Amino acid sequence: MLELNTTRQPGGPPPPLPAPTPPGTEQQAEGAGILLQISMLVLAFVLGHVLRRHKIYYLPEASASLLIGLIVGGLANISNKETSIRGWFNFHEEFFFLFLLPPIIFQSGFSLAPKPFFSNFGAIITFALLGTLIASIVTGVLVYLGGLTYLMYRLPLGESLMFGALISATDPVTVLSIFQELGTDMNLYALVFGESVLNDAVAISLYRTMASVRSNDSSGQNLLLVILSFLETFVGSLSSGVGVGFISALLFKYAGLNVENLHNLESCLFVLFPYFSYMLAEGLGLSGIVSILFTGIVMKRYTFSNLSEKSQHFASAFFHLLSSLAEAFVFIYMGFDIAMEQQSWSHIGFIFFSILFIGVARATNVFSCAYLVNLVRPANRQIPMQHQKALWYSGLRGAMAFALALQAVHDLPDGHGQTIFTATTAIVVLTVLLIGGSTGTMLEALKVVGDGHNGRLGDESFVGTDGSTGPSYDEGTSSGSKLQMTLKEFHSTASLTALDRHYLTPFFTSQNDDENPDEATQNSRRITELEGHE
Amino acid sequence: MLELNTTRQPGGPPPPLPAPTPPGTEQQAEGAGILLQISMLVLAFVLGHVLRRHKIYYLPEASASLLIGLIVGGLANISNKETSIRGWFNFHEEFFFLFLLPPIIFQSGFSLAPKPFFSNFGAIITFALLGTLIASIVTGVLVYLGGLTYLMYRLPLGESLMFGALISATDPVTVLSIFQELGTDMNLYALVFGESVLNDAVAISLYRTMASVRSNDSSGQNLLLVILSFLETFVGSLSSGVGVGFISALLFKYAGLNVENLHNLESCLFVLFPYFSYMLAEGLGLSGIVSILFTGIVMKRYTFSNLSEKSQHFASAFFHLLSSLAEAFVFIYMGFDIAMEQQSWSHIGFIFFSILFIGVARATNVFSCAYLVNLVRPANRQIPMQHQKALWYSGLRGAMAFALALQAVHDLPDGHGQTIFTATTAIVVLTVLLIGGSTGTMLEALKVVGDGHNGRLGDESFVGTDGSTGPSYDEGTSSGSKLQMTLKEFHSTASLTALDRHYLTPFFTSQNDDENPDEATQNSRRITELEGHE
């Protein structure tokens, strides 16, 4: 649960103010501030578009937004009008948690392509659950040891582990947009995307667990309680999110709204559910972010197909639009903030070693988990070393780490929180600029960019219903071993897929609603085709 | 300019709080509060849909939202948990002015059907400009006299005129939705819609002028200055709104974004312009509401046609969705607020006489302006008495009066503002419930509901490009007098229409972009057909 404890008014009719403010300067300044923000947003979109059009991949859209924020913040700093301009740029935490973050996270779940995601489900879960846990603990322990040995600012163990957890939330935006532009292997794309979506949920749950352990002063003695607390947050939020998603699927299946001239009502209700899920989890003391993420996944898989076609187009475009705007705004703000930050240079040691440590931690995460996954997978579906390297490289930090660092300022008021916030902001800016700028080069060096073969990812064509775009790992294997592999893989994910096919899809969508056996067979054949090599 | 002076943080990284708040109750309560609001929204949409489906017109959607708010507020009051639930329902003024009002007002302008609007432009301007001025002054003077004669709570003249201005902003939502359901005369629809859209702008400008006159203590002595101040606000805001609209039209004409796979960029930019217009006007010390209204009109007329077809569908649905949500939320909140209001019954005399006075003022407005319009119009286009009565009856108050009353609490901190706020909220609730509930009956009694003839309004078909749906006033006239009338009418609106056809449309849209004379002729013929009987 995110703590939204900004100063607030009690609501209701506004209390009379002590004196009427003279009309003029203050309100105009506020208007000018928001105007500046909108102009920066427009500039970010236009600049991003121009850069993409000219195929300049070393400055992707997120970096462009960040740079615009940095430049405007720097100019404001130089012109010495810092306080007034910072006043303009009044970024309420509440605004961030209530309006910016939910659409970004929901869109992550909503845009998840089911096919490559489910066919790599085991690997993704390994990276996201076990890997994030490893990365968090390695980062936390290294930061703690670094403090002990006077290498860097000293944080207690609890705080170090909190920092480790929050900095382990990776951000898919920049890397994935470049993947899509260049066209890369579909399985690599699914791994990077799936991992970074799910590890947000794990990182939040870990962070909250560490925070509650720290405040209860029971660190270390009750490992079982820690694990239980983590599971409670994670599983509870997941269940509430999935539950709301299923309720929405049933509502749209039976309400009969997918007829002409009810599009607006349909869209209004559809748009309210994610937010409902977010707030339900917050109200239950769980994590709204984790909940809305799973609501997104479920709503895309089940509710979406119960909508009328017109509303499907609208809903996709709507959530895409909201998350684009929110994302650009978050990156602009982060750039602006780091340019405004006064004490950033006093933490330069902490920032430097943190970056080193998170690199080490991510390597531990990726290579050990890939080793485990490869132990289980058949020879022709091993994760190749280039993909592991690409996965390691793709671990840049974004909105989620920033959000948790904002949270840390509240949770740790004794200066540690501020240090974590400063370090996180700097790490986000550096990783976005450096990693984001070099991803294209990296992908080419690792030879995983599109070479025109079947499994290539280009402009989302992989989400189409064309069953022929199978995983590219199979290339070069005989059709016999292919079949064998298919069967093996089917068993490994059989429970989830079978559950989906035989119970969830017929129950929550109107696809298999009729008794016609021929059509049912056709439907299940179509689904089999969609799911390809499972 | 709306004054947004709630307590705010300076922005930037959040300052460390004095003590970490314990996780739990407060945040859960906040989540529960927003959850309650979302549930009420969902309930309002579902209830509105069920009522519409069963053709129960005496409880339209806005009334349903209002009643839900009233009931929940009443329950909260009875269960004596008022403070905590009111705390949940934390309705920030800032949220209202920054997120709820702009989409509602923009949608008013954006959904304006150009054809019936422009063919009744003279009458609409008369009702909106002169009529609202008359209604404001009559209401203000009557309220002042009522105070002098101890009939009601006594307000000074300046405050009375401010109240007169803010309560003269009528709300089209409820009446128009019933008009659309029942199908009514197209010209009546255009008059009611056009008047209520434009009179918002006039009422705001009047209110601000009165407020600045009052605070400068120069009331009465400088009538010229008052008129100048009104014109400055009105014309300035109008110009900035129209200017932003034209800039957006040029951007979309020349940026070449209306190609495949740039829909998201196109939509993002399109969606940012209205907000830009709003904030530009606020930053210039003008009225954002007036500005965004005219941006809506211009963007619909020019920018919209430069979008790709997919983005056109999206933009229409997007703004419709946002304004539906915002509107339902505003009505729910108003109902909730009046149920929560403690001191409402002490103002019952003020409320009663105010309602009486605004009825009188609206009658003065409608019947005198209709008389003036009928003096100029030819015999076959006179506004019939039934339409005048329907127009008088349609003057219910909604979001705009509420917003200005919120504003008044700030402008008049000495208790007068609170009185105005209470009275306005009550008037809004009563007019929405009573007028909204009886509009169907009224329309039938006045015999202006759909009888299947040509000019009937049914489900927005009148906005189609079918030139045959001419104004129904012409029915029964010979084609000769029809032609004569057409010529006459053409002269009266010639300047605006000619300007639009020969300069604005070719310059701001890509419709007449080519040099092909045949096609240009066809285009202008098509436009002539679109504009029907002008």
Side-chain angles (χ1 to χ4, degrees):
Chain A
M1 178 187 46
L2 299 159
E3 299 182 15
L4 310 171
N5 34 21
T6 48
T7 55
R8 68 176 55 258
Q9 290 183 298
L17 290 185
T21 49
T25 51
E26 195 193 325
Q27 290 76 33
Q28 290 189 25
E30 171 148 35
I34 301 182
L35 202 64
L36 178 70
Q37 294 168 27
I38 298 175
S39 311
M40 286 158 80
L41 270 179
V42 171
L43 192 63
F45 277 106
V46 171
L47 189 60
H49 168 62
V50 170
L51 290 170
R52 236 186 357 254
R53 193 185 237 176
H54 292 91
K55 302 193 184 298
I56 301 173
Y57 295 122
Y58 52 83
L59 196 64
E61 206 155 2
S63 309
S65 307
L66 204 61
L67 278 181
I68 289 172
L70 275 172
I71 292 168
V72 173
L75 288 178
N77 240 343
I78 290 169
S79 67
N80 215 2
K81 290 165 67 186
E82 194 210 340
T83 46
S84 77
I85 294 184
R86 170 165 281 188
W88 285 7
F89 217 95
N90 49 352
F91 189 79
H92 300 260
E93 253 179 285
E94 203 175 8
F95 182 70
F96 186 79
F97 284 118
L98 290 183
F99 296 104
L100 295 182
L101 205 51
I104 297 177
I105 304 298
F106 180 79
Q107 175 68 13
S108 300
F110 199 71
S111 61
L112 210 70
K115 183 179 170 302
F117 177 76
F118 282 109
S119 68
N120 287 289
F121 192 72
I124 289 170
I125 277 288
T126 313
F127 284 115
L129 264 174
L130 182 65
T132 307
L133 190 69
I134 293 173
S136 300
I137 292 170
V138 169
T139 311
V141 169
L142 284 177
V143 166
Y144 178 65
L145 292 179
L148 280 187
T149 54
Y150 300 102
L151 268 179
M152 56 202 289
Y153 184 91
R154 188 169 176 175
L155 286 179
L157 184 59
E159 275 86 335
S160 301
L161 288 173
M162 282 167 74
F163 177 66
L166 74 88
I167 208 70
S168 296
T170 60
D171 190 297
V173 184
T174 304
V175 173
L176 293 186
S177 73
I178 299 166
F179 275 29
Q180 285 196 354
E181 287 290 325
L182 293 177
T184 186
D185 184 277
M186 198 174 64
N187 286 289
L188 177 58
Y189 183 89
L191 281 184
V192 171
F193 192 25
E195 189 234 339
S196 61
V197 164
L198 289 184
N199 86 359
D200 282 357
V202 176
I204 297 168
S205 306
L206 270 178
Y207 173 85
R208 291 195 53 213
T209 308
M210 300 295 181
S212 72
V213 165
R214 196 197 66 93
S215 63
N216 292 339
D217 287 328
S218 63
S219 57
Q221 58 222 37
N222 263 326
L223 194 66
L224 190 71
L225 275 183
V226 175
I227 294 171
L228 273 181
S229 161
F230 168 76
L231 284 180
E232 186 194 325
T233 307
F234 187 76
V235 176
S237 308
L238 186 151
S239 313
S240 103
V242 170
V244 171
F246 280 151
I247 290 170
S248 74
L250 288 180
L251 179 94
F252 283 98
K253 184 179 176 187
Y254 292 112
L257 298 176
N258 53 352
V259 294
E260 204 53 45
N261 83 26
L262 283 181
H263 295 305
N264 189 51
L265 177 67
E266 205 181 358
S267 307
C268 280
L269 290 177
F270 192 78
V271 159
L272 286 173
F273 269 99
Y275 213 55
F276 185 86
S277 154
Y278 186 84
M279 285 304 155
L280 181 68
E282 294 286 316
L284 294 171
L286 301 165
S287 163
I289 299 291
V290 177
S291 179
I292 202 173
L293 173 66
F294 286 98
T295 304
I297 297 175
V298 171
M299 283 183 82
K300 178 60 169 284
R301 185 81 186 86
Y302 301 106
T303 318
F304 192 68
S305 61
N306 295 340
L307 291 182
S308 65
E309 201 188 343
K310 211 169 159 185
S311 295
Q312 285 185 350
H313 287 301
F314 176 75
S316 303
F318 179 81
F319 290 119
H320 190 186
L321 174 94
L322 281 196
S323 72
S324 303
L325 287 175
E327 236 153 44
F329 196 83
V330 167
F331 279 106
I332 288 174
Y333 176 71
M334 288 193 289
F336 188 84
D337 195 77
I338 194 121
M340 283 301 205
E341 197 67 50
Q342 289 301 315
Q343 69 269 48
S344 57
W345 300 110
S346 68
H347 293 296
I348 195 156
F350 190 87
I351 295 167
F352 176 78
F353 284 106
S354 298
I355 291 182
L356 210 67
F357 293 160
I358 63 176
V360 173
R362 186 155 180 88
T364 323
N365 162 0
V366 169
F367 297 117
S368 63
C369 289
Y371 180 76
L372 286 178
V373 170
N374 282 343
L375 281 184
V376 181
R377 284 194 171 189
N380 55 353
R381 290 198 74 226
Q382 298 274 325
I383 302 175
M385 187 45 86
Q386 300 106 290
H387 287 195
Q388 296 180 30
K389 283 181 185 159
L391 195 54
W392 173 77
Y393 200 82
S394 308
L396 51 78
R397 271 67 175 172
M400 183 46 68
F402 180 77
L404 287 175
L406 268 179
Q407 179 71 21
V409 178
H410 280 310
D411 292 344
L412 309 169
D414 49 0
H416 296 330
Q418 192 59 46
T419 307
I420 288 177
F421 181 76
T422 307
T424 306
T425 322
I427 289 170
V428 169
V429 170
L430 289 173
T431 55
V432 167
L433 288 185
L434 296 181
I435 300 184
S438 59
T439 301
T441 320
M442 177 273 293
L443 288 178
E444 275 163 15
L446 291 174
K447 296 188 177 62
V448 286
V449 286
D451 47 353
H453 67 64
N454 214 4
R456 194 178 83 85
L457 171 85
D459 210 4
E460 299 192 58
S461 66
F462 68 102
V463 292
T465 53
D466 178 14
S468 67
T469 54
S472 65
Y473 292 139
D474 309 320
E475 302 231 330
T477 61
S478 74
S479 64
S481 74
K482 219 169 177 175
L483 182 70
Q484 194 187 6
M485 182 277 296
T486 306
L487 285 170
K488 261 191 193 164
E489 274 299 295
F490 181 78
H491 283 292
S492 70
T493 54
S495 53
L496 191 73
T497 327
L499 184 73
D500 175 48
R501 190 176 311 166
H502 298 303
Y503 300 99
L504 299 181
T505 301
F507 187 71
F508 288 111
T509 73
S510 34
Q511 287 179 11
N512 283 358
D513 222 0
D514 38 27
E515 295 298 296
N516 185 344
D518 276 348
E519 199 166 322
T521 319
Q522 277 181 359
N523 275 341
S524 73
R525 195 186 309 140
R526 199 166 58 84
I527 290 167
T528 316
E529 274 169 13
L530 280 174
E531 283 161 358
H533 292 266
E534 282 173 328
Chain B
M1 177 188 43
L2 300 158
E3 298 184 14
L4 311 170
N5 33 20
T6 48
T7 55
R8 65 177 55 260
Q9 290 184 299
L17 289 185
T21 49
T25 51
E26 194 194 327
Q27 291 76 34
Q28 290 188 25
E30 171 148 36
I34 300 182
L35 203 62
L36 177 70
Q37 294 167 29
I38 299 174
S39 311
M40 285 159 81
L41 270 180
V42 171
L43 192 63
F45 277 106
V46 171
L47 189 60
H49 168 62
V50 170
L51 291 170
R52 236 189 352 257
R53 193 185 239 174
H54 294 90
K55 302 193 183 298
I56 301 173
Y57 294 124
Y58 52 84
L59 197 64
E61 205 154 4
S63 308
S65 306
L66 203 61
L67 278 181
I68 290 172
L70 274 172
I71 292 167
V72 174
L75 288 178
N77 239 345
I78 290 169
S79 67
N80 214 1
K81 290 165 68 186
E82 193 212 340
T83 46
S84 77
I85 293 184
R86 171 165 279 190
W88 284 7
F89 217 95
N90 50 353
F91 188 81
H92 299 260
E93 253 179 284
E94 202 175 8
F95 181 70
F96 185 79
F97 283 118
L98 290 183
F99 295 103
L100 295 182
L101 205 52
I104 297 178
I105 304 298
F106 180 79
Q107 175 68 11
S108 300
F110 198 71
S111 61
L112 209 70
K115 182 179 170 302
F117 177 75
F118 281 109
S119 69
N120 287 288
F121 192 72
I124 290 170
I125 277 287
T126 311
F127 283 115
L129 262 174
L130 182 65
T132 308
L133 190 68
I134 292 173
S136 301
I137 292 172
V138 169
T139 312
V141 169
L142 284 177
V143 166
Y144 178 64
L145 292 179
L148 279 188
T149 53
Y150 298 101
L151 268 178
M152 57 202 287
Y153 184 92
R154 186 168 174 176
L155 286 180
L157 184 61
E159 275 86 335
S160 301
L161 288 172
M162 283 167 74
F163 177 66
L166 74 87
I167 207 70
S168 297
T170 61
D171 190 299
V173 184
T174 304
V175 173
L176 293 185
S177 73
I178 299 167
F179 276 28
Q180 285 195 355
E181 287 290 326
L182 293 177
T184 186
D185 184 275
M186 198 174 67
N187 285 290
L188 177 59
Y189 184 90
L191 280 183
V192 172
F193 192 25
E195 190 235 338
S196 61
V197 164
L198 288 186
N199 86 0
D200 282 358
V202 176
I204 298 168
S205 306
L206 270 179
Y207 173 84
R208 290 195 55 214
T209 307
M210 299 296 180
S212 73
V213 165
R214 195 195 68 91
S215 64
N216 292 339
D217 288 327
S218 62
S219 58
Q221 59 222 40
N222 263 325
L223 194 68
L224 189 71
L225 275 183
V226 174
I227 294 170
L228 273 182
S229 161
F230 168 76
L231 284 179
E232 186 193 326
T233 308
F234 187 76
V235 177
S237 309
L238 187 150
S239 314
S240 102
V242 170
V244 171
F246 280 151
I247 290 170
S248 74
L250 288 180
L251 180 94
F252 284 98
K253 184 180 177 187
Y254 291 112
L257 299 176
N258 53 353
V259 293
E260 205 53 45
N261 82 26
L262 283 181
H263 296 304
N264 189 51
L265 177 67
E266 205 180 358
S267 307
C268 280
L269 289 178
F270 192 78
V271 159
L272 285 173
F273 269 99
Y275 214 55
F276 185 86
S277 154
Y278 185 85
M279 285 304 155
L280 180 68
E282 294 286 315
L284 293 172
L286 301 166
S287 163
I289 299 291
V290 176
S291 178
I292 202 173
L293 171 66
F294 286 98
T295 304
I297 297 175
V298 171
M299 284 183 82
K300 178 60 169 287
R301 184 81 185 87
Y302 301 106
T303 319
F304 193 67
S305 61
N306 294 340
L307 292 181
S308 66
E309 200 187 343
K310 212 169 159 185
S311 296
Q312 286 185 350
H313 287 301
F314 176 76
S316 303
F318 180 81
F319 290 120
H320 190 189
L321 175 95
L322 281 196
S323 72
S324 304
L325 288 174
E327 236 153 45
F329 195 83
V330 167
F331 280 106
I332 289 174
Y333 176 72
M334 288 193 289
F336 187 84
D337 194 79
I338 194 122
M340 283 303 206
E341 197 66 52
Q342 290 300 318
Q343 68 271 49
S344 56
W345 300 111
S346 69
H347 293 297
I348 195 155
F350 191 86
I351 295 167
F352 176 78
F353 284 106
S354 299
I355 292 183
L356 209 69
F357 293 160
I358 62 175
V360 173
R362 189 157 176 86
T364 323
N365 163 359
V366 169
F367 297 117
S368 63
C369 288
Y371 179 76
L372 286 180
V373 170
N374 282 343
L375 280 185
V376 181
R377 283 195 173 190
N380 54 354
R381 288 199 76 227
Q382 297 273 325
I383 302 175
M385 187 45 86
Q386 301 105 289
H387 286 196
Q388 295 181 30
K389 283 180 185 161
L391 194 56
W392 174 76
Y393 200 82
S394 309
L396 51 77
R397 270 66 175 175
M400 182 47 67
F402 180 76
L404 287 175
L406 269 179
Q407 180 71 19
V409 178
H410 280 311
D411 292 344
L412 308 169
D414 48 1
H416 297 328
Q418 193 61 45
T419 307
I420 289 177
F421 181 77
T422 307
T424 306
T425 322
I427 290 170
V428 168
V429 170
L430 289 174
T431 55
V432 167
L433 288 185
L434 296 182
I435 300 185
S438 59
T439 301
T441 320
M442 178 274 294
L443 288 179
E444 276 162 14
L446 290 174
K447 298 190 177 60
V448 286
V449 288
D451 47 353
H453 66 66
N454 213 5
R456 196 177 82 85
L457 171 86
D459 211 3
E460 300 193 56
S461 66
F462 68 101
V463 293
T465 53
D466 179 13
S468 68
T469 54
S472 65
Y473 292 140
D474 309 321
E475 302 230 332
T477 61
S478 74
S479 63
S481 73
K482 220 170 177 173
L483 181 70
Q484 195 185 8
M485 182 275 295
T486 306
L487 286 171
K488 261 190 194 166
E489 274 300 293
F490 181 78
H491 281 293
S492 70
T493 53
S495 54
L496 193 71
T497 328
L499 184 72
D500 175 47
R501 191 178 309 166
H502 297 304
Y503 299 99
L504 299 180
T505 302
F507 187 70
F508 289 111
T509 73
S510 33
Q511 286 179 11
N512 284 356
D513 221 358
D514 36 29
E515 294 299 297
N516 186 341
D518 276 350
E519 199 165 322
T521 317
Q522 276 180 358
N523 276 340
S524 72
R525 194 183 313 137
R526 197 164 60 84
I527 291 167
T528 314
E529 274 168 15
L530 280 173
E531 285 162 354
H533 289 267
E534 282 173 329

